[in-house]
Amino acid sequence: MTDTIAWISGASSGIGAALAATVPFPDAHIVDISRSGGTVGAEHVPADLSDPGSWSAVGAHFRARLDSFDGSRALFVHSAGMLQPIGFAGEVDDGLYTTNVLLNSAAPQVLGHFFLRAIDESGFDGRADIVMLTSGAAKRPYAGWSSYSAGKAAVDAWVDAAAQEREARGSRVRVVAIGPGVVATPMQETIRNTSVEDFPRKDKFVELFESGGLADPSEAAKTIWGMLDNLPNGAVTDVRHA
């Protein structure tokens, strides 16, 4: 029997896939919450998290698994996110902008809420963690990334407030946010293929790529896992502070 269950959203690609591949807990049961799945050895919960209609099914899965889980550790790692549309607010595609706001801002809050409720109402009595992936863009917004920057700022604020709430209730759930740094993922390719008109700071990310300054996804994921047990409740930090 596994002692750890870890739900990872966005585990089918990018940093989410790297996190799923490097889970450090022996015999952990990994649950891949994504549209396409494909994480080797993981249970797949199909969900398009930019669609609010999919969120309740994820919440129901949290509760169903925790009701019957007799291990000692449960984690929800929220990695799913999107950068598009890159461009100025008022100029980009309406539908994509709305999708970005739903996925980057609303989904993590609602899924975090569902996980906390499932922990509180299930019979699970072990250790629980929520890990939200954040970004430096939360504190240093970029022109061309208004919805993405705002979404990550919302994640940071939610972690801060939810952690205070857990402490007020004497809860055993720890809530943290960790930024993976600038990682060599398809998101970076998208940035480099964007026009300067839509993203004026493109040169910074092109220079990072050309100078070898992008982190390897696997190494970034291992650093995140290595930091986790040393972070206090409510921490909002970055792998570069490890």
Side-chain angles (χ1 to χ4, degrees), residues 7 33 45 54-66 110-111 113-115 117-118:
W7 286 269
I33 306 170
V45 175
S54 73
W55 300 343
S56 60
V58 177
H61 193 274
F62 289 152
R63 179 60 189 269
R65 283 289 181 270
L66 287 169
V110 175
L111 296 182
H113 159 76
F114 284 156
F115 185 79
R117 182 180 294 281

Side-chain angles (χ1 to χ4, degrees), residues 44-131:
H44 180 219
V45 175
D48 177 357
L49 296 181
S50 67
D51 175 8
S54 73
W55 300 343
S56 60
V58 177
H61 193 274
F62 289 152
R63 179 60 189 269
R65 283 289 181 270
L66 287 169
D67 274 341
S68 60
F69 182 57
D70 60 2
S72 67
R73 186 163 195 169
L75 304 99
F76 170 48
V77 181
H78 185 69
S79 174
M82 65 183 289
L83 186 58
Q84 298 92 337
I86 302 177
F88 289 17
E91 299 176 6
V92 296
D93 179 82
D94 295 347
L96 272 178
Y97 200 90
T98 301
T99 296
N100 186 305
V101 171
L102 289 169
L103 179 59
N104 291 334
S105 181
Q109 297 180 59
V110 175
L111 296 182
H113 159 76
F114 284 156
F115 185 79
L116 292 170
R117 182 180 294 281
I119 291 290
D120 288 345
E121 295 183 353
S122 71
F124 177 72
D125 62 358
R127 175 175 178 173
D129 296 279
I130 293 178
V131 183

Side-chain angles (χ1 to χ4, degrees), residues 153-217:
V155 164
D156 289 0
W158 187 88
V159 165
D160 190 342
Q164 294 179 52
E165 293 166 356
R166 292 296 96 190
E167 291 178 3
R169 291 287 186 262
S171 171
R172 63 190 177 280
V173 184
R174 184 175 50 161
V175 186
V176 300
I178 305 175
V182 187
V183 183
T185 64
M187 183 181 289
Q188 288 298 315
E189 295 179 26
T190 299
I191 293 169
R192 295 194 299 274
N193 290 326
T194 300
S195 70
V196 174
E197 288 74 21
D198 286 333
F199 185 51
R201 290 304 311 277
K202 171 183 174 176
D203 59 332
K204 171 184 175 179
F205 294 88
V206 170
E207 182 180 349
L208 280 170
F209 172 71
E210 292 177 345
S211 65
L214 300 182
D216 175 76

